[in-house]
Amino acid sequence: MSEESETIIEKKGRAGRITLNRPKALNALTRQMCLDMTKALLEWRNDPDVKVVVVDGAGDRGFCAGGDIRLLYESGKAGDERAYEFWRDEYRLNQLIKRYSKPYVAMIDGIVMGGGVGVSVHGDYRVAGDSTMLAMPETGIGFYPDVGGTYFLPRLPGKTGMWMGLTGARLKTADAMAMGIATSYTPSDKRPALIEALENGPEGIEDTLAAFAEEAGESEVKKRQEDIETHFAAPMVEAILASLDNDRSDWAIEQAKTMRTKSPTSLKLTHRAIQMGAQTEFEDTMRRELRLSAHCLKGHDFYEGVRAQIIDKDRDPKWDPSDLERVGDAELEQYFAPLDNDRELTFIDDTKDN
């Protein structure tokens, strides 16, 4: 593919190389990028020349800032299939990465959010750089942490995942390392040499990664583990806020303030989905996420959140319902309802079993 392509895909040495190539959009994913990645991974799966897959993002600002939110907004407004098709193909890609039979290395320097987390965290290795900034900020746009977020977040240490999902908290390099999201840290100026070694070096993949790994420093999030556990283990969102309100520390005040800017519906949806994701296998979690995503298009807050953050950029969303008490269990349950049979999520290899 040419460097004008949204996804640069090539074989170099022993590596299958994928570069997300929308630097002006912080490499945000389009459906075509998901399809291109899927096609390459399927071809390389049985290619004896490909020993490792290495994924990075063009430019120096971000690995991948998420999905094409504006398209999802416009598709929902138009009532067409573009949003559904994007999520379906993106989630299939997430599952392919999760179950991939060859080492998958994501170079997660710069901004890594939403869909960017989905095409990195489910792989074998995630190499952080100096400017790694990782987050799942979806509650701020009336959505929830998808792309397998409701699976990997509850598997982070303590209640870190619940805290991240509800607040949209950003993890820096040392935090991503301490929480196990990043598997190693390599200074950004050494990233090209690491990629070249992965492509052409004689050493094994793990030995190569280890040779370029350095200490990431102290994690501020790790220092807050006790606070996070104390407050975010509460069984309901209202109880989490009450716990934070009773703790008059600056940190607790800031967490509560942040949560109160998010969509009340999204907070409750995220809390329940993370709790459920802790108990289910990856494929079942992804099927549930497609249901949640599709049903979010039927509500109010996703459109209002995208309007406020992306379209008008007034940063002043008017959530409806506007408070947690008005988000009832019956309303919440609708988001988890099954889709029509032909719209439920199936995976790429499912046909081998059917």
Side-chain angles (χ1 to χ4, degrees):
M1 291 191 179
S2 73
E3 293 194 3
E4 287 71 41
S5 299
E6 292 181 338
T7 319
I8 301 172
I9 295 174
E10 53 195 335
K11 287 165 57 175
K12 287 189 174 182
R14 62 180 176 180
R17 289 283 285 112
I18 298 174
T19 298
L20 308 177
N21 191 39
R22 299 182 69 213
K24 292 181 180 178
L26 297 176
N27 301 316
L29 294 174
T30 64
R31 182 189 176 211
Q32 189 58 52
M33 293 167 75
C34 294
L35 293 173
D36 290 343
M37 289 185 70
T38 296
K39 182 174 183 289
L41 290 174
L42 290 174
E43 289 177 356
W44 292 338
R45 193 163 58 175
N46 298 313
D47 186 336
D49 294 330
V50 175
K51 308 299 184 185
V52 60
V53 174
V54 182
V55 184
D56 65 348
D60 56 7
R61 295 174 59 204
F63 169 72
C64 175
D68 190 342
I69 300 298
R70 187 182 289 266
L71 177 141
L72 300 176
Y73 173 94
E74 292 172 351
S75 174
K77 286 286 190 180
D80 61 37
E81 291 291 283
R82 287 175 295 164
Y84 171 81
E85 290 172 348
F86 172 79
W87 282 319
R88 178 197 63 198
D89 294 329
E90 183 183 28
Y91 299 172
R92 284 175 173 170
L93 172 61
N94 297 152
Q95 191 267 352
L96 178 61
I97 293 169
K98 176 72 173 175
R99 304 301 181 196
Y100 205 60
S101 58
K102 295 184 178 182
Y104 181 101
V105 182
M107 312 297 294
I108 57 169
D109 205 357
I111 293 173
V112 190
M113 294 185 179
V117 179
V119 295
S120 58
V121 75
H122 305 306
D124 301 293
Y125 306 101
R126 287 83 60 190
V127 182
D130 297 326
S131 60
T132 298
M133 184 69 73
L134 185 144
M136 298 296 286
E138 289 81 5
T139 54
I141 58 166
F143 202 55
Y144 73 99
D146 66 329
V147 295
T150 63
Y151 179 87
F152 88 85
L153 287 173
R155 287 165 176 79
L156 298 183
K159 293 298 178 181
T160 304
M162 186 65 77
W163 168 67
M164 287 180 63
L166 294 179
T167 66
R170 299 184 174 192
L171 272 57
K172 297 182 179 180
T173 301
D175 303 321
M177 280 293 297
M179 297 303 107
I181 298 176
T183 54
S184 62
Y185 156 64
T186 295
S188 299
D189 62 356
K190 296 182 179 179
R191 184 176 74 176
L194 170 56
I195 292 175
E196 198 279 333
L198 288 168
E199 293 170 350
N200 301 309
E203 299 85 0
I205 304 307
E206 288 196 357
D207 289 340
T208 300
L209 293 169
F212 283 83
E214 297 188 16
E215 293 295 323
E218 258 192 315
S219 165
E220 293 301 315
V221 171
K222 189 172 183 179
K223 294 177 184 178
R224 287 289 179 186
Q225 283 295 285
E226 185 175 344
D227 292 326
I228 291 171
E229 189 72 24
T230 295
H231 301 299
F232 287 84
M236 298 173 62
V237 178
E238 293 91 336
I240 292 173
L241 279 170
S243 180
L244 290 167
D245 289 341
N246 288 332
D247 178 349
R248 300 306 299 164
S249 69
D250 291 343
W251 182 86
I253 291 170
E254 185 62 29
Q255 306 314 302
K257 179 180 177 182
T258 297
M259 284 180 62
R260 288 189 169 99
T261 67
K262 311 300 184 184
S263 158
T265 300
S266 291
L267 289 174
K268 286 200 169 183
L269 187 65
T270 295
H271 188 270
R272 181 179 293 190
I274 288 176
Q275 286 184 319
M276 294 174 72
Q279 307 298 324
T280 51
E281 294 297 323
F282 187 78
E283 282 74 12
D284 290 336
T285 305
M286 296 307 299
R287 291 186 185 97
R288 181 165 56 243
E289 286 192 3
L290 185 59
R291 295 174 181 179
L292 296 175
S293 298
H295 290 310
C296 278
L297 292 183
K298 301 176 183 178
H300 166 272
D301 280 5
F302 174 69
Y303 299 104
E304 178 59 10
V306 175
R307 180 206 64 76
Q309 298 295 332
I310 308 294
I311 308 298
D312 297 337
K313 299 182 179 179
D314 59 27
R315 307 293 192 268
D316 186 28
K318 307 299 182 187
W319 306 122
D320 184 18
S322 59
D323 56 74
L324 290 167
E325 290 70 23
R326 293 175 55 206
V327 182
D329 288 341
E331 178 187 12
L332 206 60
E333 200 61 39
Q334 295 175 11
Y335 287 87
F336 294 86
L339 304 175
D340 292 340
N341 283 338
D342 62 346
R343 296 176 69 81
E344 290 281 16
L345 183 60
T346 57
F347 299 105
I348 292 165
D349 290 328
D350 281 357
T351 53
K352 294 180 180 179
D353 302 317
N354 294 331

